[in-house]
Amino acid sequence: MKLFSANIEDLRTLYVTNLQKALDMEQKITKALPTMIEKSTDPELANAFRTHLEETRGHVAKLEAILRRSTGDASTQTCKVINGLTTEAEDSIKDAADPAIRDITLIAAGQQVEHHEIAVYGTLRTWAGILGETDDVNILNSILDEEENADQILTDISDHVNLQAAA
Ligand SMILES: [Fe+2]
Ligand SMILES: [Fe+2]
């Protein structure tokens, strides 16, 4: 992608706006994960959410650091997508009375969030690269790795949990 200098300024604004939305998203995920841990019946699933809660707290800290460095503060802008995803998740978990069904519902909800995060960080990393923010690229890549890993772990767990739900 070839950009002129005016485009670069617009891209920088867009980049910061999306970092602020990502921070709001991660803060909301740290609030949602304790409920997901609590609602999980499968111990491996609860553990996966617990590990990812720790990682998510790290994502909050990393985004705050990037934002402070580029704007001087760590303010947020509302991420409407995470609001929608958490509302959907709460509704389907409420409807799932059977523990195994609830577990696969939690996995589905978790993976929707991870896939959204993977899209968000893939984009932010590309934009950071265009803007020449090499430090940010490395930080965003490290977050992206953890999101992809969390998604893969949920896929692995779903192998046995899905079978339990079908039995
Ligand atoms: Fe995250
Ligand atoms: Fe995540």
Side-chain angles (χ1 to χ4, degrees):
M1 199 188 329
K2 277 221 159 49
L3 293 174
F4 297 106
S5 54
N7 295 143
I8 290 287
E9 276 325 296
D10 288 346
L11 179 62
R12 191 167 289 282
T13 306
L14 192 64
Y15 176 60
V16 168
T17 301
N18 281 272
L19 284 169
Q20 290 169 332
K21 287 184 182 179
L23 178 57
D24 179 62
M25 170 185 78
E26 294 288 7
Q27 287 173 343
K28 283 174 179 158
I29 297 170
T30 62
K31 289 190 186 116
L33 275 169
T35 312
M36 297 179 77
I37 295 165
E38 197 187 304
K39 299 275 179 192
S40 300
T41 304
D42 186 87
E44 230 182 294
L45 182 60
N47 234 2
F49 285 141
R50 224 171 270 129
T51 303
H52 200 51
L53 174 58
E54 279 318 303
E55 289 171 341
T56 301
R57 289 188 178 124
H59 302 169
V60 168
K62 285 174 176 176
L63 287 171
E64 283 175 348
I66 294 179
L67 277 166
R68 282 214 182 88
R69 195 156 25 79
S70 55
T71 69
D73 66 43
S75 50
T76 58
Q77 290 198 41
T78 306
C79 169
K80 293 174 189 153
V81 178
I82 198 69
N83 289 352
L85 287 173
T86 26
T87 309
E88 285 286 348
E90 282 162 6
D91 288 352
S92 34
I93 292 159
K94 228 179 287 164
D95 292 341
D98 180 83
I101 298 294
R102 194 166 53 239
D103 277 357
I104 60 167
T105 306
L106 287 163
I107 292 172
Q111 286 195 292
Q112 284 184 12
V113 172
E114 294 317 315
H115 287 200
H116 177 61
E117 293 189 277
I118 289 166
V120 164
Y121 289 112
T123 301
L124 283 172
R125 178 210 32 204
T126 301
W127 291 351
I130 296 168
L131 293 166
E133 300 290 351
T134 323
D135 290 349
D136 293 10
V137 171
N138 294 333
I139 296 169
L140 293 165
N141 261 333
S142 71
I143 300 178
L144 188 55
D145 282 349
E146 289 181 343
E147 309 298 11
E148 285 172 344
N149 184 49
D151 181 49
Q152 185 56 51
I153 288 169
L154 289 175
T155 298
D156 294 345
I157 294 171
S158 78
D159 280 349
H160 71 258
V161 172
N162 278 334
L163 285 174
Q164 283 166 13

